[in-house]
Amino acid sequence: MDSQVMVALALSLVGGFSTSLGALIVIVNQAPNLKMLGLLQGFAAGLMLSISFLDLAHNAMNSIGFLKGNLWFFAGVVFFAMVANFIPEPTHFQHSEVKSKKKNGDEGGKDMVKKHRRQVFFSGIITAIGISLHNFPEGMAVFLGSMKGLRVGLNLALAIALHNIPEGVAVALPIYFATQSKWQAFKLATLSGFAEPLGVVIVAYLFPRSLNPEILEGLLGSVGGVMAFLTLHEMLPLAFDYVGHKQAVKAVFFGMAFMSASLYFLQLSIPEDIGL
């Protein structure tokens, strides 16, 4: 397998295994700190927005022109909007809901919990399917970023990995509540993350090894559109729900500042012959 594909695969595995980290938070803690998850989601949103607008879209417009760059960017937005329309919305199950049901009376609470176990399990399966389908194009994004250069691939992988931790929680929490099995919760969350490296493997065999530079820049502009839509459609609303608007917005700008600094230092530290 080509070394470029191996790098992309390794980077996507980091993102994939981040869902496993989210599952570990659930099975170790049982009641994850939602405020911390919200701040993490806001931080990851800042990383993603910075990559989308200040790196991918910016480079596409500089390389292939303002009009073509914008057309590719919004093609990515429309593509992922259509994909999201057919994907079940992830259910971010809150552990506090279970506690409140138990407090409403021992017997009644137990009956209520039993009654909802199957429903919660089904919601966990739907969430796992939805997140798997979301992770697949993220793997494609990491592959295309890695074709451009190590810096772009690393930045995308870092942002997506942070984004995937709360997704692992979203899968593991309802499964663990419904089955009382730590292994089932961990397994399903991990499997949903493996859609990301699968996306790398499939797209590596669909795309020619030497893409036209203009097409590659256009595709990366589209990746910027996909990342921007994903951030505004999913990540920011979740951060707002968990920590409120003020804290989430602070986390977003902190993430953007962090990514801007990382772009600068990566340019200084990574040799030019790697292909940045």
Side-chain angles (χ1 to χ4, degrees):
M1 195 178 282
D2 189 90
S3 60
Q4 206 169 40
V5 177
M6 292 297 292
V7 169
L9 192 59
L11 291 174
S12 68
L13 282 170
V14 173
F17 278 121
S18 294
T19 57
S20 303
L21 183 57
L24 283 175
I25 291 172
V26 171
I27 63 180
V28 170
N29 260 340
Q30 295 189 30
N33 186 332
L34 295 181
K35 183 176 180 181
M36 182 58 68
L37 287 175
L39 290 172
L40 184 65
Q41 195 77 330
F43 180 78
L47 299 182
M48 298 274 267
L49 288 174
S50 184
I51 291 170
S52 299
F53 293 112
L54 305 180
D55 192 10
L56 299 178
H58 174 75
N59 287 342
M61 284 185 272
N62 281 345
S63 300
I64 60 178
F66 182 82
L67 178 61
K68 286 184 180 179
N70 270 283
L71 288 174
W72 277 101
F73 178 85
F74 285 105
V77 171
V78 171
F79 166 74
F80 202 73
M82 292 173 64
V83 170
N85 194 44
F86 293 102
I87 295 174
E89 286 290 330
T91 303
H92 294 278
F93 183 79
Q94 303 231 6
H95 194 268
S96 57
E97 293 174 9
V98 181
K99 287 187 174 179
S100 64
K101 286 174 185 173
K102 288 182 177 179
K103 287 178 181 177
N104 290 334
D106 290 340
E107 199 168 322
K110 285 178 183 177
D111 290 341
M112 184 68 73
V113 168
K114 286 179 182 177
K115 182 179 177 182
H116 286 280
R117 279 197 195 278
R118 183 170 294 183
Q119 188 178 2
V120 170
F121 179 75
F122 179 72
S123 77
I125 295 297
I126 292 298
T127 302
I129 293 170
I131 286 174
S132 297
L133 293 172
H134 279 311
N135 284 343
F136 184 80
E138 288 175 0
M140 296 172 64
V142 170
F143 173 76
L144 291 171
S146 299
M147 285 187 69
K148 170 68 175 176
L150 183 58
R151 175 180 62 81
V152 179
L154 277 171
N155 289 335
L156 280 170
L158 172 63
I160 289 170
L162 288 172
H163 166 58
N164 283 354
I165 294 173
E167 289 188 346
V169 173
V171 174
L173 196 52
I175 298 297
Y176 184 38
F177 166 70
T179 65
Q180 298 297 302
S181 168
K182 294 181 178 182
W183 169 243
Q184 289 294 332
F186 182 80
K187 180 175 70 175
L188 279 172
T190 301
L191 286 175
S192 69
F194 273 112
E196 198 166 308
L198 181 62
V200 169
V201 172
I202 291 175
V203 80
Y205 288 99
L206 288 178
F207 281 88
R209 298 203 173 188
S210 54
L211 273 178
N212 182 302
E214 184 171 323
I215 298 294
L216 177 58
E217 289 294 346
L219 286 170
L220 286 168
S222 292
V223 168
V226 168
M227 296 294 106
F229 183 89
L230 175 67
T231 302
L232 298 174
H233 184 258
E234 295 179 22
M235 298 171 70
L236 276 182
L238 188 63
F240 290 158
D241 285 344
Y242 284 170
V243 294
H245 285 65
K246 288 185 179 180
Q247 294 297 322
V249 168
K250 288 177 185 176
V252 168
F253 280 108
F254 184 73
M256 292 184 76
F258 180 87
M259 180 52 67
S260 295
S262 75
L263 288 171
Y264 176 73
F265 286 113
L266 275 170
Q267 284 178 333
L268 292 179
S269 61
I270 298 176
E272 292 182 4
D273 59 356
I274 291 180
L276 294 178

